[in-house]
Amino acid sequence: MVSISVRQISQDFGGNIALEQVDLDIHDGEFFSLLGPSGCGKTTLLNIIAGFLEPTTGSVFINGDDVTNLPPYKRKIGMVFQNYALFPHLTVFDNVAYGLKVKKLSKKEVRRKVEESLALVQLEAFQERMPKQLSGGQQQRVAIARALAIEPSVLLLDEPLSNLDANLRKDMQTELRLLQKRIGITTVLVTHDQEEALSLSDRIGVLGQGHIRQIGSPLDVYRKPENEFVAGFIGQVNLLSVKKVASETDDNKTVYQAENFTMSENEPLKLAMNKGSELEETTSLMMLRPERIRVVAESLNELYNSCKVTVVQVSYIGSSVRLTVKLQGKGEMLILVPDPVFHVPPEPEQVITIAWNKEDLILINQEETSS
Ligand code: ATP
C-alpha cells in the first residue's frame, strides 16, 4: 500500500494564488478527504497529486518517490470525476477495459480484470449495457470500476457523488467506504459536503483560501476546531466573543462574559467553563454548537450558561427542530433540538429558557486573517 506526501506546494494561476505552501501527509490505506468551500483549492491540489497540473513550486511524493515531474499515467493513480466521464459510445465492459487495453494486456487478462472490477461494484450483470442505459449511481460505479481496473496505488475522487440525488448519494457513500476498506487502497476525496467528509473519512484536511486550516479526525475537526474558519465551516455554530471575568473565576470554574450577547441592556451573558480548559488570552472566541443547547424549565435561574430568549423562527427538519432565538438584550443563537423532545414545538414570539453545560463551551483561536 501507498502513502502520499505533498511538500510546500504553491499554485499561482497568473497572480491568482490557488494554493500557498501546502504540506500534507496522507497515510497508507487511509481514506482522506480534502474539504472546503468553493474555490479554496481542493481540485487544484488533487490535480497536482494526480499529475494533471504541474505546481508552481513544491513536490509530490507517492510512497516516498518524488513524482512531481512524472505524467499521470506513470503515477499509478485511479481517478473518478464528478461527471463520471464515461465514454458514451462504449459498453460498460469496454469502458472498464479501456485503460487495460492501452496497457496492451492480453485479451484474457483484460477480461479477468474487467470482471473482477465490475464484481467489486456489483455490476457484473451489466457488462453489455451502454452508459445511457444505466442510472446515475450505476454510471458512477462503472467509473469507480474503471479507475480500479488498472490496479492503481491510490484512488483520487473529485466530488464523485455530487451529481446523485440525496438518497442514492447516502447509499453510494456507504458502498464507497465499504469498498475502500475492503481493498485497503489509499484514497483522497475532494468534497465540499461536510457530512460526506465527516462520515467517510479517517481524516479530513480542511482547506480555506489555499491553506490547510486543520487536519484531523472527523471528531477532532467537529469538536475541537483549531480556528474560527474550521468552526464556522464544519457544521453550524454559535460564536461568542468573550472576555475573562477574573473576579468571578474560582477554583472550580473560569467565568467569561460575552461581548456580542447580552441578557438585557446592561447585563452581559455569563459563561462558565471548567477550570483548566481555558486558553491563555483574556479575550477570545468561544464556540457553542446548536445541538448542545437545551430548552429547560423557566424556573431555572442560573447565573451562568443559561438565559431567557424569545423564539424568532422555527423550522421543522424531521429529525430535529431548528430554532433561531433572540436574547433579551443583544444577539441571536441557533438551537437544534431532537424532534421527540417537543410534543409541540415552540412558536415564534414565545419566551423560553435555554441552558448548556460547561463542557459544551469550546474556546478557539482567533485568526490573524479571517476569511
Ligand atoms: P470547487 O469546489 O468550486 O470546485 P475548488 O476548491 O476545487 O472549488 P479550485 O478549482 O482548486 O477550487 O480553484 C482554486 C482557485 O484557483 C479558484 O480561485 C479558481 O478560480 C482558480 N483556478 C483554478 N483553475 C484555474 C486555472 N486553470 N486558471 C486560473 N485560475 C484557476
Side-chain angles (χ1 to χ4, degrees):
M1 279 296 136
V2 174
S3 61
I4 303 169
S5 296
V6 157
R7 286 286 168 273
Q8 291 290 296
I9 288 282
S10 295
Q11 185 66 46
D12 181 346
F13 289 115
N16 178 5
I17 311 289
L19 294 170
E20 206 173 346
Q21 297 183 331
V22 171
D23 282 317
L24 183 61
D25 288 303
I26 297 167
H27 306 149
D28 192 11
E30 184 172 45
F31 197 120
F32 190 94
S33 292
L34 289 170
L35 174 69
S38 181
C40 70
K42 309 179 290 289
T43 299
T44 301
L45 186 52
L46 198 74
N47 284 339
I48 288 172
I49 294 172
F52 296 131
L53 191 65
E54 195 185 328
T56 311
T57 59
S59 311
V60 178
F61 298 85
I62 295 183
N63 222 12
D65 297 327
D66 188 341
V67 297
T68 319
N69 298 314
L70 285 188
Y73 68 91
K74 288 196 172 161
R75 294 190 186 194
K76 294 197 76 190
I77 50 149
M79 183 109 184
V80 179
F81 301 92
Q82 179 175 355
N83 59 4
Y84 323 140
L86 296 180
F87 302 113
H89 58 288
L90 296 183
T91 62
V92 166
F93 183 95
D94 287 332
N95 261 285
V96 178
Y98 187 84
L100 302 169
K101 287 182 181 165
V102 169
K103 285 186 160 187
K104 304 214 182 331
L105 297 189
S106 72
K107 266 194 170 168
K108 207 170 138 205
E109 272 290 271
V110 170
R111 173 150 297 279
R112 186 179 66 79
K113 291 193 180 202
V114 170
E115 284 175 354
E116 269 176 20
S117 307
L118 285 173
L120 280 175
V121 296
Q122 289 154 25
L123 283 181
E124 305 99 305
F126 291 72
Q127 293 183 20
E128 297 315 317
R129 293 242 191 133
M130 301 303 284
K132 67 170 188 280
Q133 296 172 308
L134 301 175
S135 71
Q138 289 165 340
Q139 288 185 44
Q140 196 51 298
R141 276 150 64 192
V142 175
I144 294 168
R146 184 177 60 182
L148 294 174
I150 56 165
E151 294 173 1
S153 311
V154 297
L155 184 61
L156 305 180
L157 308 167
D158 191 358
E159 304 255 11
L161 308 180
S162 58
N163 281 350
L164 306 177
D165 69 49
N167 284 339
L168 185 56
R169 190 175 175 142
K170 290 241 154 60
D171 292 347
M172 283 291 292
Q173 284 172 356
T174 311
E175 261 184 49
L176 190 58
R177 180 61 175 161
L178 289 174
L179 177 66
Q180 191 269 343
K181 280 282 150 241
R182 203 161 68 235
I183 57 180
I185 187 168
T186 308
T187 299
V188 187
L189 168 76
V190 157
T191 182
H192 62 266
D193 180 334
Q194 312 145 22
E195 218 180 291
E196 185 163 288
L198 289 172
S199 65
L200 283 176
S201 318
D202 294 310
R203 286 189 310 148
I204 298 172
V206 185
L207 268 172
Q209 291 191 330
H211 293 266
I212 299 265
R213 301 306 188 94
Q214 185 170 354
I215 295 176
S217 69
L219 215 63
D220 277 349
V221 294
Y222 188 76
R223 290 202 182 157
K224 290 183 246 158
E226 285 173 2
N227 50 58
E228 185 180 352
F229 177 85
V230 175
F233 183 70
I234 300 192
Q236 293 172 307
V237 74
N238 296 299
L239 283 174
L240 304 95
S241 359
V242 294
K243 193 164 81 181
K244 198 187 270 184
V245 186
S247 59
E248 291 180 49
T249 292
D250 60 29
D251 285 347
N252 294 318
K253 62 182 183 302
T254 309
V255 176
Y256 290 84
Q257 72 179 42
E259 316 239 279
N260 52 345
F261 289 87
T262 56
M263 313 233 279
S264 66
E265 208 174 319
N266 300 315
E267 198 186 353
L269 177 66
K270 295 268 183 70
L271 304 131
M273 296 186 79
N274 283 323
K275 189 89 180 144
S277 49
E278 69 270 29
L279 300 173
E280 289 299 306
E281 296 82 20
T282 50
T283 61
S284 192
L285 204 62
M286 204 176 255
M287 169 181 100
L288 178 57
R289 291 282 188 202
E291 67 273 18
R292 298 285 180 143
I293 301 176
R294 304 183 312 275
V295 178
V296 295
E298 281 215 21
S299 54
L300 194 82
N301 219 349
E302 298 284 347
L303 287 176
Y304 312 106
N305 298 347
S306 176
C307 60
K308 270 199 169 60
V309 293
T310 308
V311 176
V312 177
Q313 202 185 15
V314 183
S315 316
Y316 185 66
I317 50 172
S319 58
S320 48
V321 179
R322 186 168 49 211
L323 306 175
T324 308
V325 298
K326 191 178 175 320
L327 273 72
Q328 302 199 314
K330 174 171 82 174
E332 277 192 358
M333 281 197 197
L334 200 60
I335 308 177
L336 267 183
V337 188
D339 181 45
V341 169
F342 295 125
H343 286 301
V344 182
E347 301 271 331
E349 307 292 329
Q350 198 174 326
V351 174
I352 56 174
T353 304
I354 58 171
W356 51 90
N357 295 334
K358 285 185 201 156
E359 298 74 22
D360 298 328
L361 296 167
I362 310 290
L363 279 173
I364 51 183
N365 283 322
Q366 299 263 35
E367 294 181 291
E368 310 89 60
T369 49
S370 177
S371 42

